[in-house]
Amino acid sequence: MTPWDPSQPILEIENLSISFFTRLREIPAVMDFSCNVMPGEAMGLVGESGCGKSTVALAVMRDLGRTGRITAGRIRFKGRDLVAMTDDELRHIRGSEIAMIYQEPMASLNPAMKVGAQLAEVPMIHEGIPRRAAWARARQIVADVRLPDPDRILQAYPHQLSGGQQQRIVIAMALMSKPALLILDEPTTALDVTVEAGIVDLVKALGAKYGTSMLFISHNLGLVLDVCDRITVMYSGEAVETGAVADVFDRMRHPYTQALFRSIPLPGADKTTRPLVAIPGNFPLPHERPPGCNFGPRCDYFVKGRCDAADVPMVPVPGDVRHETRCIRSAEIDWAAPPKAAKQAERTPVGDVVLRMEDLRKYYAVTKGLFGTGPTRVVKANETLSFEAREGETLAIVGESGCGKSTFAKVLMGLETATAGRILLYNQDIQDTPIEKRDTDTVSSVQMVFQNPFDTLNPSMTVGRQIIRALEIFGEGRSDADREARMLELLDLVKLPREFAGRMPRQLSGGQKQRVGIARAFAGGAKVVVADEPVSALDVSVQAAVTDLLMEIQRKNRTTLLFISHDLSIVRYLSDRVMVMYLGHVVELGTTDQVFSPPYHPYTEALLSAVPIADRKVQKKRIVLDGDIPSAMNPPPGCPFQTRCRWKSEVPGGLCDREVPPARTLAAGHQIKCHLPDAVLARMEPVIRIAAE
Amino acid sequence: MEPLTWTGSLGPVLNPAVATAAALAVLIWLARGVLGLIRAPVPAGVGTVTPAGLPATAALRFAGLATVALALAYPLSGFVLPAPEAGILGAMGRQFWPVWLALALTFAVSIRWKRRLALYGKLFDSPIGMVGYAIVMFWVFTALFADLIVTQDPLTQVSGMKNALPGTPVRGAEGAYYLLGGDNLARDVFSRMVMGARRVLAIAPAATAFAFMVGITLGLPAGYFGRRLDTGLSFLANLVLAFPVILLFYLLVTPEIRATGIPVALAAVLFLFPVVFLTILWNSRFFIDPRRRNLYVGITLALGLWAYSGLAFNADPLGVWSMEPNLLNVFVSVVFVNAPTVFRIVRGITLDLKSRDYVAAAQTRGEGPWYIMLWEILPNARGPLIVDFCLRIGYTTILLGTLGFFGLGVSPESPDWGSTINDGRRLLALYPHPAVVPALALMSLVLGLNLLADGLREESLRD
Amino acid sequence: MIGFVLRRTGVIALTALCLTFIVFVLTNLQPNLEKLARTEASSRMSEAEVAAWIERNGYARPMPVRYGEWLGVVPGWTRAEGGTVTGRCTGRAPAPAEAPRFCGLLQGDWGYSTVFKLPVAAVVSRSLGHTGWLMLWVVIVMIPTSLVLGVLAGMREGSPTDRTLSTVAIVTTATPEYVSGVILIVLFASATSGLSPLLAEWGWISGRTLFNGTATAAMEGITFWNFALPVLTIALYGTGYIARMTRASMTEVMTAQYIRTARLKGVSFPQVVMRHALRNALIAPFTVIMLQFPWLLNGVVIVETLFNYKGFGWTLVQAAGNNDIELLLACSVVAVVVVLATQLISDIGYVLLNPRIRLA
């Protein structure tokens, strides 16, 4: 065997095609995919769900399951063809030369084995070193991934660790044998933003430290910008554009890449003046791909007869190094042209107060211990929530897991009753009225759009039937025919074809289901709509469309929108006012401009810094929070944020440890809950700066 | 008249052929199973070969098909050859003609339109499911057409036919045979088996359906509301489940107990559930449209209470609905034993489904709890419930057999399979056929139901 | 953990009380008592005489009181009539005056069997001894076989091994004991059919049948030939059932992400199965095995009846068939206690096996 020349690519994928074979047909998942990863390089693989990016990763690991087959092409690792390797040879490479990090840290650790044993296993298999030495190495790597108290962690079972810690263990496991190539499959998708920032930092640092090459798979362009040197964009099973990150971000040469960038809310986008441009149409199903260019039917530059004539090959972009695109018109298109002016809208004037919260509290009594024998504790899910929302206004509620935003929604909807405080809807107290006691009017005027599109519709009822049921229960329409007609109008409102009325939810895509969910929420002419992360589970290109739809309906109906999200980019894009929550407390409340510029609450500052932004012009101050979000069952004393706050030392006398800070007003309508003196707050610098063009 | 042989005149030719093919199939089957353990599977992930193309599998398929095709010649010969030539198998094959016809029709129609038939249609993609379905439908049609199939009256005793061997000609009747011999009371085993199918298939699915009604009506609220209600109902369910089944039968299915009225009381409770279930079902959905609600609920109550009065209290004024006390006793006990398990399954699924967003959506638009349980949760629980329904019919069949085996609750004349096995086992070592025939029948029905459930489960999990 | 065990034990004790009470009520129904009166005294008694007999023997009092007496928490009844004192506990001592106040289950007084004319405790303990051997062998045969079959089938879902083993498992679960017992006897223990006539003809066996068709002889001494069929009959059904559960659990575990992690760490397939999959896969079947005991009890009753083996199941059938109230009650108590004990073990075992719960 010839030794591998380190100046050659460490991973070469040539014309790889992968298909899955079902009983009925062959489903091509990846077609003609090529890419190279050089030693020490980080390659980002970007695309929407179903584009085949994870399949490529699994093919590199040669782990496609029983139905998946590599039908053509070669994957060379250090010059050796992985496709031709026997199981034995593969086993020697897996874990020692190529390691993989997965999306769900909890699921990828064995629940019945101690963390240490799972880590030590790797060098014991590949290097045959004794158990003792392997555990010693495990201890060292656990310290390397910046986990506190490594000895305790090694003796723990996975479920005793938090999500962030688990992901660090998975990373440690991948690094145990110092692999040459690391494959990361959406490693931070399941984590909170502030935790994600820590993991990303770690991955970057370790990659540099060990000189590991990386194949980084993500749907998030911002993350790829943070981590990678090069990027490959995939669409519907094909690589459509590949090149250095700087080239692709600044001089994209494929319409899909361009459309993708135009559909994500970057700083500067605004719902009225610079709205997002959604990609029209839907992602094609694997067996319904169009002839010629897969992106053709959704492309602005589509030319009939050329784009759909024959399969499109990858062509190099003139002038750039290793920058290729799969577009036959790449040389003809004027890439610098601004997007076709999307319809601009009037900023809606804000009306009267519709909803007012006064010192709302919600406590739960929880029995600790699985066997129900422990002492009863009180979980303070919401602490003194006060705000008001006006007609036609969008109020964003921002926070990570455990911040109490879902509890608040439940109380507002009447699924739970408040422990203390008041909720006034049109000056009517509703905090103590559970939903079954509310009158139809109140119920239909406060409605909700849910997060998970795959869960929001009843899978065994037709779309039309579900909307009609909402109409029936809200007492809309006099007869069945009335309601039928009204249902069709609602479908028009959310821009779905009328024939969808007879479809089952499983025949709809995620975005379409979410639209049905919106139609259902507006069936009774809702005045206040709580949208609980309505687009976070959708693909980037669909997000823009659904967001726009929501905004449009809001403008038309002058609805008050409570937009719950953890994604500050989208919040900045669409909201009028923002409320930041942490462990049940409102830590900051103000207009969008107030919240997004200094002075910040320290948590807001960290949150802003943690959100990846897919724009090379944006310079961010890097603030990485230590540790994880404390459990709501066991919050820290004093200020809820004090365990992770980087400004804590600026407050004299350990006040943060003892007292919950009072809400103080900084400017008109801008309040924060923080002990920091005004002088310190005034010193704060903006986290995000947009470099001059 | 000569007694019939098993295979008739085809035997000398066909027997060796069938035996060879079958032996080959079994050999390859076992070898493949054992080899699969030692040898690693096909290197995964490369090439276009699908596992179905493996030589062992192809050989197995061939040998298996050959066995089936050759073996089919025995029953089919009955249509061509006269009785003595066709043998016992041939003669039985001919007796079952309505069943073959109905089976062929069912399968032809179902396979033709399988893509339009949802889960039922998908069944025809799974070989295991199809075999199971075929066996089940064989017995269903046997039960339906039992009157056409039997050769003798199942209760008549013919002198001289006591413990007669299979194929013995009936004394004094030209061209008539005891195809599967006679039992110790000189009755025809074949006809009793056929009539037994009717008996079993009349009780088992109905009892299972009642158990499901009870289990669903109690399991949904237990899972949905939780707390005290759940604790209480779960305790009751566990109470029944902790009873060894056989003990419960000995206590509940005795002639003495009827005098105390306990079975009627139980029936009064258990039989009420379907009526309650349907009434709530209609009311929860149509309460916003009182006219339609009144119609549906009215019809349900009228029909339901009519049947209820007849079945539970034998007090149907028109005399259409009735159940003999023996049967009621058996029926009630079987429902009573099965309901808690169904309850637990439904409760578990409800606990899982109630956290879905569509349930939350229904709650936030102010739906009542029963609408959510019956119209939002239950339809989405149907997959596992259908699978369990098939399995549970099999289990109920076994329970009914157990009752018969201990001579409990059923009349001594009854041709049901459990009692027949019980009758036959006394002389088992000398005359095996009276017990073996119903034993095999019962086993094949339960096997068919298990295979059907397996096929359904596999298909409902797929994509 | 200790709190959990105590709570479970409490619930189980409550369950046991409820169950025994129900059994007590069902066995002491008026028709049963009348039947008892006729069999014990005279079958030609008039209605009035029967009522008097029931009254005289303390059966006419309220059900809860009698349940308490039987349990041993309520003093036994006494009755002075014509100078002689009779009572529930008088037979236990030479003179009525010395008789204990309580005589019930808790005092170890289980009553007297009317069928066997022996104290119930003696009958039950003797029969439990016989059944103990049967169960021991069933467990020895059934559990290792089913677990091995289940794991082998489940480790590669859809493989030929899986298909073969799953088919076998489905067939055995479709065969209740009274069917498999009949078939086994016909095949191996009938002088006129099955294997035995052939073997006898060839001179391979000296007796007329290969195995014994009854297990009566096994009560004196267990041999392979008299015990294999009953053991096999019970084990067959359970084996298939547990193997299917193990397989289901194993296939689920084998598709779990952490198994993929292990595979992609470079762990070899046997090691993946042994180190990573097995422990997780055996948690569910453990519960199933334990909850299988009530059904095994069913099998025991059927098999002991079929093979005429005078163990616990056979005794239960005799007691129930002959209206032997005290014996039936005792059998029920034993059965209920066994079932509940296995439930407790299954609960505790589940917690111990599962670190996720143990260390929560």
mmCIF file of all heavy atoms in Angstrom, chain A residues 337-350:
data_model
loop_
_atom_site.group_PDB
_atom_site.id
_atom_site.type_symbol
_atom_site.label_atom_id
_atom_site.label_comp_id
_atom_site.label_asym_id
_atom_site.label_seq_id
_atom_site.Cartn_x
_atom_site.Cartn_y
_atom_site.Cartn_z
ATOM 1 N N ALA A 337 -27.311 42.345 -9.215
ATOM 2 C CA ALA A 337 -28.593 43.034 -9.279
ATOM 3 C C ALA A 337 -29.353 42.856 -7.974
ATOM 4 O O ALA A 337 -29.371 41.759 -7.409
ATOM 5 C CB ALA A 337 -29.414 42.497 -10.444
ATOM 6 N N PRO A 338 -29.960 43.901 -7.458
ATOM 7 C CA PRO A 338 -30.733 43.764 -6.224
ATOM 8 C C PRO A 338 -31.968 42.904 -6.480
ATOM 9 O O PRO A 338 -32.407 42.771 -7.628
ATOM 10 C CB PRO A 338 -31.122 45.208 -5.895
ATOM 11 C CG PRO A 338 -31.056 45.918 -7.197
ATOM 12 C CD PRO A 338 -30.004 45.247 -8.020
ATOM 13 N N PRO A 339 -32.509 42.292 -5.440
ATOM 14 C CA PRO A 339 -33.690 41.452 -5.646
ATOM 15 C C PRO A 339 -34.831 42.266 -6.222
ATOM 16 O O PRO A 339 -34.948 43.466 -5.959
ATOM 17 C CB PRO A 339 -34.012 40.966 -4.232
ATOM 18 C CG PRO A 339 -33.257 41.876 -3.318
ATOM 19 C CD PRO A 339 -32.078 42.358 -4.071
ATOM 20 N N LYS A 340 -35.603 41.598 -7.021
ATOM 21 C CA LYS A 340 -36.786 42.266 -7.570
ATOM 22 C C LYS A 340 -37.577 42.836 -6.405
ATOM 23 O O LYS A 340 -37.861 42.133 -5.436
ATOM 24 C CB LYS A 340 -37.662 41.234 -8.313
ATOM 25 C CG LYS A 340 -37.447 41.277 -9.825
ATOM 26 C CD LYS A 340 -38.372 40.315 -10.513
ATOM 27 C CE LYS A 340 -37.709 38.944 -10.647
ATOM 28 N NZ LYS A 340 -38.605 37.881 -11.045
ATOM 29 N N ALA A 341 -37.863 44.107 -6.494
ATOM 30 C CA ALA A 341 -38.468 44.784 -5.356
ATOM 31 C C ALA A 341 -39.678 44.004 -4.864
ATOM 32 O O ALA A 341 -40.703 43.918 -5.541
ATOM 33 C CB ALA A 341 -38.883 46.192 -5.759
ATOM 34 N N ALA A 342 -39.509 43.438 -3.712
ATOM 35 C CA ALA A 342 -40.638 42.724 -3.123
ATOM 36 C C ALA A 342 -41.626 43.766 -2.643
ATOM 37 O O ALA A 342 -41.257 44.907 -2.382
ATOM 38 C CB ALA A 342 -40.162 41.865 -1.965
ATOM 39 N N LYS A 343 -42.861 43.392 -2.572
ATOM 40 C CA LYS A 343 -43.878 44.365 -2.200
ATOM 41 C C LYS A 343 -43.563 44.892 -0.797
ATOM 42 O O LYS A 343 -43.366 44.135 0.141
ATOM 43 C CB LYS A 343 -45.262 43.718 -2.254
ATOM 44 C CG LYS A 343 -45.325 42.389 -1.534
ATOM 45 C CD LYS A 343 -46.684 41.786 -1.724
ATOM 46 C CE LYS A 343 -46.879 40.535 -0.891
ATOM 47 N NZ LYS A 343 -45.864 39.521 -0.936
ATOM 48 N N GLN A 344 -43.491 46.199 -0.730
ATOM 49 C CA GLN A 344 -43.244 46.797 0.567
ATOM 50 C C GLN A 344 -44.578 47.110 1.212
ATOM 51 O O GLN A 344 -45.572 47.307 0.538
ATOM 52 C CB GLN A 344 -42.420 48.064 0.409
ATOM 53 C CG GLN A 344 -41.042 47.750 -0.121
ATOM 54 C CD GLN A 344 -40.107 48.915 -0.024
ATOM 55 O OE1 GLN A 344 -40.539 50.016 0.280
ATOM 56 N NE2 GLN A 344 -38.847 48.676 -0.281
ATOM 57 N N ALA A 345 -44.558 47.127 2.489
ATOM 58 C CA ALA A 345 -45.831 47.336 3.177
ATOM 59 C C ALA A 345 -45.732 48.535 4.082
ATOM 60 O O ALA A 345 -44.655 48.951 4.470
ATOM 61 C CB ALA A 345 -46.187 46.095 3.983
ATOM 62 N N GLU A 346 -46.865 49.070 4.367
ATOM 63 C CA GLU A 346 -46.946 50.169 5.318
ATOM 64 C C GLU A 346 -46.688 49.627 6.715
ATOM 65 O O GLU A 346 -47.115 48.537 7.059
ATOM 66 C CB GLU A 346 -48.362 50.772 5.286
ATOM 67 C CG GLU A 346 -48.699 51.437 3.992
ATOM 68 C CD GLU A 346 -48.020 52.789 3.882
ATOM 69 O OE1 GLU A 346 -48.307 53.659 4.733
ATOM 70 O OE2 GLU A 346 -47.192 52.963 2.964
ATOM 71 N N ARG A 347 -45.987 50.364 7.496
ATOM 72 C CA ARG A 347 -45.883 49.977 8.900
ATOM 73 C C ARG A 347 -47.248 50.220 9.546
ATOM 74 O O ARG A 347 -47.818 51.296 9.407
ATOM 75 C CB ARG A 347 -44.801 50.814 9.580
ATOM 76 C CG ARG A 347 -44.545 50.405 11.016
ATOM 77 C CD ARG A 347 -43.306 51.096 11.544
ATOM 78 N NE ARG A 347 -42.071 50.488 11.050
ATOM 79 C CZ ARG A 347 -41.528 49.404 11.574
ATOM 80 N NH1 ARG A 347 -42.123 48.787 12.589
ATOM 81 N NH2 ARG A 347 -40.412 48.905 11.109
ATOM 82 N N THR A 348 -47.763 49.214 10.204
ATOM 83 C CA THR A 348 -49.113 49.361 10.752
ATOM 84 C C THR A 348 -49.058 50.197 12.026
ATOM 85 O O THR A 348 -48.209 49.976 12.879
ATOM 86 C CB THR A 348 -49.726 47.996 11.105
ATOM 87 O OG1 THR A 348 -48.676 47.171 11.579
ATOM 88 C CG2 THR A 348 -50.403 47.389 9.923
ATOM 89 N N PRO A 349 -49.944 51.135 12.121
ATOM 90 C CA PRO A 349 -49.997 51.911 13.350
ATOM 91 C C PRO A 349 -50.487 51.020 14.489
ATOM 92 O O PRO A 349 -51.304 50.125 14.285
ATOM 93 C CB PRO A 349 -51.009 53.010 13.038
ATOM 94 C CG PRO A 349 -51.840 52.466 11.940
ATOM 95 C CD PRO A 349 -50.988 51.518 11.166
ATOM 96 N N VAL A 350 -49.954 51.270 15.653
ATOM 97 C CA VAL A 350 -50.316 50.453 16.804
ATOM 98 C C VAL A 350 -51.530 51.057 17.488
ATOM 99 O O VAL A 350 -51.628 52.276 17.613
ATOM 100 C CB VAL A 350 -49.116 50.376 17.758
ATOM 101 C CG1 VAL A 350 -49.508 49.731 19.064
ATOM 102 C CG2 VAL A 350 -47.995 49.623 17.095
#
